[in-house]
Each structure stands twice: as C-alpha cells, then as structure tokens.
Amino acid sequence: DVKVTQSSRYLVKRTGEKVFLECVQDMDHENMFWYRQDPGLGLRLIYFSYDVKMKEKGDIPEGYSVSREKKERFSLILESASTNQTSMYLCASSLTGGVGNTQYFGPGTRLTVL
Amino acid sequence: AQSVTQLDSHVSVSEGTPVLLRCNYSSSYSPSLFWYVQHPNKGLQLLLKYTSAATLVKGINGFEAEFKKSETSFHLTKPSAHMSDAAEYFCVVSNTGFQKLVFGTGTRLLVSP
C-alpha cells in the first residue's frame, strides 16, 4: 500500500511566522503535489514537483514556496503566514506513466493562522 | 482547459436507498476521470477511475460510475446506501498523460437511518 504521511495533523501559528509543512511518501513516486482545501472550493493545486529539485506552480502559488531535496520528501513553506492561509493542506504523490495518473493522498494538515 | 461541475453540493438519502451523485466534465482531450471520497478528518481515498477502457467502472464499497461521452457526464451510483457512506465525494478530471488533476467542489452525502 502507498503511504503518504504529513508531519502534523493540526498546526496553529501566528501571523508573520514562517511555517513548514512536511510530506513523505514511501513508494518511490516521481510526482508530488500540495493542495489546499477550503469549503465550497474543493481542492486547489498550490505547487507540484515531478523530480528532485524540480517544481512547477499550480493554480494558487502566491504566498507559498516548496522544496524537494529528496525524492520521497516534499515541503511546503509559508514564508510569512497570513490569516487567509488558514486552511486544510493535503499532500499527494503519483507515479509517472501510471495509468490514469492516480494520486495518493496524505491525511492532511489543518493549519490555523491567528 | 478542463473543468468539473458537481451538480449538487449536498445529497441526502435514507439507509438502503440508492445513491446518485452527479458530475459533468469538460475536457479538450481524452479525459481520465476519478471519484475520490473523504471521510471526516481523513485524507482522500480513490473510489474508482475511468481511463478509456470500459465505460462502466466499478469501484470499492459497491460504488460504480458510467462514462457517457455524449452527455459529458460521469455520475457515481450505489444501489443501496450504508451509514458508513456518509462523506464528501469529489469528481476529478485529468487529461490522459498529464499529471495535473482538476477537482470539483465536492458533494456531501448524508445518510439517515
């Protein structure tokens, strides 16, 4: 079974803090993704990576950056957290060339910025 | 460009009655289509996927979906709802060969005894 783990289930931070969200997958997947989930909006793609040290902007990259130094780990960074970044953050991974581009998701991190 | 429209934000059924969650899609290319389920405080789990093979796709927990190109629809059905089916369901589209997924806004399924 594919396992995607996220470092925290719940996180509370203050406005202006630098925030790191960590994601690790154990299936040697090339592709990794960060989404945020908000009620009524579904999931929106923030950034994705198709290889180590490679990254691509998703639909809502503003206010975020990412890092992928190792294949199994993909970090989302909020350089200066703001209240409008309060959300559920979901990480996913997938195999390049896999049929149907199935993505496997972690349990999510619920971030509150005060 | 791709997009997905989930026609109902909430669906309520009684236990033992059929479930229908509606999804229409738009895609410039041959699409891959998915249904994911999210139980409260859990991550997303793949229910089923369509990748241009059989148009009727069977998934886990008794769910199935039918790809209808003429109607650009991919509705999710189950003959008999169970209390454990209460969750949020997402219809998702991707262009085959590309990695990006486009999610619908979700349908919350409520199941009453």
Side-chain angles (χ1 to χ4, degrees), chain A residues 9 37 94 100-103, chain B residues 34 36 38 41 49 98-99:
Chain A
R9 291 300 305 274
Q37 181 181 12
S94 72
N101 310 328
T102 302
Q103 291 186 14
Chain B
F34 309 77
Y36 279 85
Q38 185 179 35
N41 299 313
K49 64 184 178 186
F98 292 86
Q99 294 299 323

Side-chain angles (χ1 to χ4, degrees), chain B residues 37-95:
Chain B
V37 60
Q38 185 179 35
H39 291 277
N41 299 313
K42 296 280 181 70
L44 274 74
Q45 179 185 20
L46 179 68
L47 267 183
L48 50 81
K49 64 184 178 186
Y50 164 77
T51 56
S52 75
T55 56
L56 183 62
V57 182
K58 293 188 184 300
I60 61 172
N61 300 335
F63 284 94
E64 62 182 39
E66 187 171 7
F67 172 72
K68 291 188 176 180
K69 187 174 180 179
S70 60
E71 299 176 10
T72 61
S73 70
F74 190 59
H75 302 333
L76 182 70
T77 60
K78 183 174 181 178
S80 176
H82 192 273
M83 294 296 290
S84 61
D85 294 328
E88 188 152 26
Y89 292 79
F90 292 94
C91 183
V92 183
V93 66
S94 171
N95 286 336

Side-chain angles (χ1 to χ4, degrees), chain A residues 8 10-15 17 19 109-114:
Chain A
S8 306
Y10 300 93
L11 211 51
V12 180
K13 296 292 181 180
R14 297 216 171 266
T15 301
E17 278 193 79
V19 181
T109 295
R110 187 167 294 282
L111 173 67
T112 302
V113 182
L114 302 175

